[in-house]
Amino acid sequence: MSGGTAMNANQLSAADVWRIFRANAWLIALLTTLGAVVGFGVNTYLAKNFAQYTAVGRVMLNPQRISDPTNPGGSFANVDASSLSIEQLTQSALLRSDTLWRQELKDANSKLIATGWYKRFLKSGGFDSGAAVQSLQQNLDIIPIPGTKLINVAMSSESAADAQDIVRSIVDRHIRNQRDVQIGSRAEELTALNNFVQTIKERIESNRRAVSQGLVTLGSSGRDGSSTTLQGLQLQISQLLTRRIERADELDLARGQQTQLDQQYQQGLVPASINLQVENTPEIADLRNRLMSFELQRDADIRKSPNSMIAKETDSMINAIKGKLEESRERTRATYFTALLEGGKQSVAALEASVDVSGKQIGDLSTKLGELSREQAEMLARSDGVRQDEESVRKLEDRIILLKSTIQGEQNRLSTVDWATPPTAPDTMSFPRLPITLTLATLLGLGLAVGIAFLRELLDTSIRSPRDLAKVGNLNMLGMIPHESDDPQAEGALLPLVISQSPHSIMAENFRQVRTRLQHAASLDTTRSLLITSPSAGDGKTTVACNIAAGLALNGRKILLVDANFRRPNLHSVFGVANDAGFGNVLAGQASTESVAKKTSVPNLDVLPTGPRPANPTELLESQLLVEFIDRSLEEYDHVIFDSGPILLVSETVALAPRVDGVVTVVRAQANSRGVLLRMRDALRQVKAEHLGVVLNGVRNQGGGYYGRNIKNYYAYQNSN
């Protein structure tokens, strides 16, 4: 088994708990009954000597809550859950106050003076108020009821009448105190309301003056004749915007013309208007007239004498005038072009200045418009504030009238708390209470019984079920065999041969299950020699060995069952054969297996008794003779099964265990402890024997045993046909 399986094995299952309860039912019933009897006796004693009566009254919060002056008309009905809880806690703390209690204890007219409870604290030196207050702290319970306006007030005392009088006296004192406080609070509230109303009226008057001044300001005109009204400023801004847009359009046109002139100047192109201006200048006109006169003179001279010197001189004069005319034209044209460019720049600058001035004027007017808008909004807000304040004044004045009426007409009833349910003298005791005392005592007895039952289970280390085997760890469970007294069908059959003599019994069925699990635990084709042993004597290993051998034989295998228990041989008695010669003779070489093996009533099953006990059985089993015996026997048989002595008691079994293919151990339920089983497991490990598994034998039904329901269900199912 793994470590996790071993850990889970230490936990109790529901079946284990039920088994523990069944096994200890007598103890549980006895201690539970004893607890009930003791509880009844204790209750009788307490009722006689320490009886307590509890009187209960309920106080209801019923105040006309001191209103917040800013929330006139507020009442307790409008308080949220949080405020209600705070109010409950506040009143509870006041009811629990030592000051309140001492005030009532000192009142000569108080009902407390006449109670037996009060007289308990009268000493020779006077009244012990400290002890009385301590008693109230221990016995007076004041508990707010969540989600309601109620507070429970309960007092426990030896006298029912005293408990009633104490509750009534303390609560009545608290109600009177709260009434006095509330009357004073009402007067303070009235003064606060009057002061608050006066403050609001002053604020109304101030806001009205501010609104009037604002109306005058918003409707006036400036000293320069400009309007300061919102509509006038908006009209001026609109006109300035229109003018600014016109100037901006003119500026764009002038910039375009200036750009065009700059490009023409760079390219040397002269506008026609400049050429016209140049031609119309006096200097150019004079030169042009002189040129025309000389040309006419030259033409006349050429007609008279084509080659005359006068014509040539006239022609030279004409060329000089032409040069001078062209030079004058260029100079004049450049002068006019430069003047035109400079004039365009000045025009653009003037338009830009005009646009900037318009923008500044618009900005100034917009700022002034914003200021007027804020003043107007403030004036409107003040007007709304005046209306709201006037409404508040009306409500507060109504509240003042109601408060004056309340103070004058309800002084005798005004209080933050009042009785919801006055206390009455209790008819029954609050302590002790038989149902509670009896239940607690019974549960105590039951708990003690269950604790003892589980303690017995914890201290019991015997092997009774597969769970107990699992607690040891690393052990394979091959099966469980019920106790013979719990199997009615096995009665009269020989237990070592129950699988063949009573095949329908549950014992036979379980031996067949052991056979099946053994086949799964080890391959029987290779695991052919088996040793059946147990940790101690009387565990039933011979019964298990015989039934396993018979089960395998009935399954068609040829089996040799060898009695290797030289100290207490038993197989010859089981099968009714002689024990004059046997296993010891074969090991000593004095006889052959065929000559001393005996046939049995079970088909395919031969038995080899021990024969006379040899002087050195352990040495024979540790020698090569045993190996040779097993090899020879397996030539004739399918399996050789050895029934030996207890492994923890005899050395022969220890010698035989590592020489066989597998070891099966038998543990007697409730006879062996987990410690014995652990020693057996370790002994097999030390000799390196192949441990195939454990058969739990003699599992009991009665007394909380493991097997009761299994046996009952098995026979019910078998007989259902």
Side-chain angles (χ1 to χ4, degrees):
M1 287 186 175
S2 65
T5 305
M7 177 185 67
N8 293 334
N10 292 326
Q11 301 174 357
L12 292 177
S13 65
D16 290 325
V17 173
W18 177 240
R19 174 180 55 77
I20 293 171
F21 276 107
R22 286 183 57 195
N24 296 275
W26 63 272
L27 177 64
I28 295 173
L30 176 62
L31 290 182
T32 302
T33 303
L34 182 61
V37 172
V38 171
F40 182 81
V42 170
N43 188 84
T44 303
Y45 175 78
L46 293 175
K48 183 177 180 181
N49 298 280
F50 301 97
Q52 292 284 312
Y53 294 87
T54 301
V56 180
R58 286 188 173 179
V59 176
M60 182 174 66
L61 304 178
N62 188 27
Q64 289 290 333
R65 186 170 63 91
I66 298 177
S67 301
D68 182 354
T70 62
N71 182 24
S75 65
F76 186 80
N78 298 324
V79 177
D80 57 25
S82 176
S83 299
L84 175 61
S85 176
I86 293 173
E87 185 69 19
Q88 279 184 313
L89 293 175
T90 301
Q91 296 299 328
S92 299
L94 292 174
L95 283 166
R96 207 178 285 115
S97 169
D98 292 358
T99 303
L100 174 68
W101 298 345
R102 294 180 186 277
Q103 186 180 5
E104 184 65 17
L105 291 171
K106 292 178 181 179
D107 188 355
N109 298 320
S110 174
K111 292 183 179 180
L112 290 180
I113 305 298
T115 62
W117 174 86
Y118 182 88
K119 294 175 181 178
R120 285 167 43 197
F121 305 104
L122 291 175
K123 308 293 182 180
S124 58
F127 180 73
D128 189 353
S129 60
V133 168
Q134 185 177 4
S135 176
L136 289 175
Q137 290 174 345
Q138 295 173 352
N139 298 292
L140 184 62
D141 293 326
I142 300 177
I143 303 173
I145 302 177
T148 70
K149 301 177 184 179
L150 301 176
I151 300 174
N152 260 359
V153 182
M155 177 65 188
S156 297
S157 179
E158 297 177 359
S159 169
D162 288 355
Q164 178 189 15
D165 290 341
I166 292 171
V167 172
R168 180 173 286 278
S169 297
I170 290 178
V171 174
D172 284 344
R173 171 66 64 179
H174 177 65
I175 292 173
R176 291 195 300 271
N177 289 348
Q178 289 300 300
R179 182 185 301 122
D180 295 341
V181 171
Q182 192 65 14
I183 290 175
S185 299
R186 294 289 180 168
E188 292 177 0
E189 181 183 6
L190 183 59
T191 302
L193 285 174
N194 285 322
N195 293 336
F196 191 64
V197 167
Q198 185 62 33
T199 300
I200 294 178
K201 287 181 176 179
E202 292 175 358
R203 187 170 64 199
I204 291 173
E205 186 61 29
S206 175
N207 285 336
R208 282 176 176 170
R209 287 196 300 270
V211 169
S212 299
Q213 183 64 33
L215 291 174
V216 172
T217 302
L218 291 174
S220 63
S221 299
R223 293 181 179 179
D224 57 356
S226 62
S227 175
T228 58
T229 63
L230 292 177
Q231 293 82 359
L233 288 174
Q234 290 173 348
L235 179 60
Q236 291 180 28
I237 291 173
S238 176
Q239 293 173 350
L240 286 173
L241 284 173
T242 301
R243 189 181 306 164
R244 188 174 185 274
I245 292 171
E246 293 174 352
R247 293 291 182 271
D249 292 340
E250 293 176 1
L251 177 61
D252 291 339
L253 180 61
R255 285 173 176 170
Q257 292 175 351
Q258 183 69 21
T259 301
Q260 184 178 5
L261 287 174
D262 288 340
Q263 291 176 351
Q264 290 177 350
Y265 184 78
Q266 296 294 333
Q267 296 173 1
L269 300 176
V270 180
S273 59
I274 293 179
N275 287 330
L276 182 61
Q277 288 178 346
V278 169
E279 294 297 328
N280 290 330
T281 57
E283 182 183 0
I284 301 300
D286 182 60
L287 289 173
R288 193 170 60 247
N289 289 332
R290 289 175 63 191
L291 177 63
M292 187 180 297
S293 176
F294 277 110
E295 287 179 345
L296 291 175
Q297 182 67 36
R298 184 195 61 184
D299 291 341
D301 291 341
I302 290 174
R303 282 193 302 270
K304 292 177 179 181
S305 177
N307 296 318
S308 67
M309 290 299 293
I310 296 173
K312 290 180 180 180
E313 290 176 359
T314 302
D315 194 45
S316 298
M317 291 294 292
I318 289 173
N319 290 333
I321 292 172
K322 283 183 178 180
K324 189 175 181 179
L325 178 61
E326 189 62 31
E327 180 182 355
S328 180
R329 280 175 175 169
E330 289 294 332
R331 184 178 65 254
T332 305
R333 189 183 294 117
T335 301
Y336 279 129
F337 212 151
T338 302
L340 182 61
L341 289 174
E342 186 63 29
K345 290 180 180 180
Q346 292 175 357
S347 178
V348 169
L351 288 173
E352 287 178 344
S354 177
V355 170
D356 291 341
V357 170
S358 298
K360 184 176 183 303
Q361 291 175 344
I362 291 172
D364 293 341
L365 290 176
S366 297
T367 301
K368 190 173 183 180
L369 180 63
E371 293 175 353
L372 287 177
S373 298
R374 285 193 296 272
E375 290 179 4
Q376 186 179 41
E378 183 178 354
M379 182 189 67
L380 293 175
R382 287 178 180 272
S383 298
D384 291 339
V386 168
R387 287 192 295 271
Q388 293 175 1
D389 286 344
E390 288 175 344
E391 181 65 24
S392 297
V393 166
R394 284 193 295 271
K395 291 181 179 181
L396 287 171
E397 288 176 343
D398 292 341
R399 175 64 178 164
I400 289 172
I401 294 172
L402 178 62
L403 191 57
K404 288 180 178 179
S405 175
T406 300
I407 294 175
Q408 293 173 359
E410 299 187 2
Q411 289 187 356
N412 294 330
R413 297 188 296 108
L414 192 61
S415 177
T416 55
V417 292
D418 203 352
W419 281 112
T421 305
T424 58
D427 297 329
T428 58
M429 292 181 293
S430 60
F431 177 85
R433 302 185 66 178
L434 182 59
I436 296 177
T437 306
L438 198 61
T439 300
L440 291 176
T442 303
L443 291 177
L444 182 61
L446 177 61
L448 180 62
V450 171
I452 293 175
F454 278 92
L455 181 62
R456 291 179 63 195
E457 174 71 14
L458 181 64
L459 297 178
D460 187 0
T461 61
S462 62
I463 304 297
R464 291 165 296 174
S465 68
R467 183 173 293 275
D468 297 324
L469 282 176
K471 291 177 182 178
V472 177
N474 295 322
L475 292 175
N476 183 30
M477 179 70 181
L478 293 177
M480 295 181 296
I481 310 300
H483 196 276
E484 57 271 18
S485 62
D486 294 334
D487 188 357
Q489 289 197 12
E491 185 177 357
L494 189 62
L495 290 181
L497 297 176
V498 70
I499 194 171
S500 60
Q501 294 183 3
S502 184
H504 299 296
S505 65
I506 192 171
M507 290 186 69
E509 180 67 20
N510 283 328
F511 275 120
R512 284 190 287 270
Q513 291 181 11
V514 171
R515 177 189 65 193
T516 301
R517 290 171 181 164
L518 182 61
Q519 291 173 343
H520 285 84
S523 175
L524 294 183
D525 293 335
T526 56
T527 307
R528 301 180 63 190
S529 57
L530 299 174
L531 170 65
I532 312 299
T533 185
S534 66
S536 56
D539 291 335
K541 57 180 178 52
T542 298
T543 299
V544 174
C546 292
N547 281 284
I548 289 177
L552 291 173
L554 292 173
N555 205 21
R557 299 175 183 268
K558 192 172 182 181
I559 307 299
L560 175 62
L561 179 59
V562 180
D563 192 347
N565 189 355
F566 292 105
R567 305 183 186 229
R568 287 187 181 180
N570 195 27
L571 287 183
H572 64 283
S573 300
V574 172
F575 291 97
V577 298
N579 194 27
D580 53 348
F583 184 42
N585 301 101
V586 175
L587 287 179
Q590 299 171 358
S592 64
T593 303
E594 296 79 2
S595 62
V596 294
K598 307 294 192 299
K599 297 289 184 180
T600 67
S601 59
V602 180
N604 297 323
L605 176 61
D606 292 347
V607 63
L608 181 62
T610 60
R613 178 182 179 182
N616 53 347
T618 302
E619 287 74 11
L620 289 175
L621 293 175
E622 290 178 341
S623 67
Q624 187 64 24
L625 296 173
L626 175 64
V627 177
E628 294 174 356
F629 166 77
I630 294 174
D631 292 340
R632 289 195 306 271
S633 299
L634 291 177
E635 293 175 358
E636 179 68 21
Y637 298 94
D638 292 322
H639 295 284
V640 177
I641 299 177
F642 294 93
D643 176 25
S644 68
I647 190 170
L648 297 181
L649 299 180
V650 297
S651 59
E652 293 94 315
T653 304
V654 178
L656 182 58
R659 297 178 178 273
V660 296
D661 295 333
V663 178
V664 176
T665 55
V666 180
V667 177
R668 187 77 175 181
Q670 297 183 340
N672 289 311
S673 66
R674 291 194 292 271
V676 171
L677 190 60
L678 185 63
R679 286 166 51 204
M680 179 192 70
R681 184 198 67 181
D682 294 342
L684 291 172
R685 286 181 178 178
Q686 288 173 0
V687 297
K688 298 182 180 179
E690 183 67 27
H691 192 190
L692 300 179
V694 178
V695 176
L696 185 60
N697 186 34
V699 180
R700 299 305 302 267
N701 169 24
Q702 70 273 16
Y706 184 82
Y707 235 5
R709 182 175 297 179
N710 286 357
I711 296 174
K712 185 177 181 180
N713 292 340
Y714 172 78
Y715 285 119
Y717 181 80
Q718 183 172 262
N719 297 328
S720 61
N721 294 329

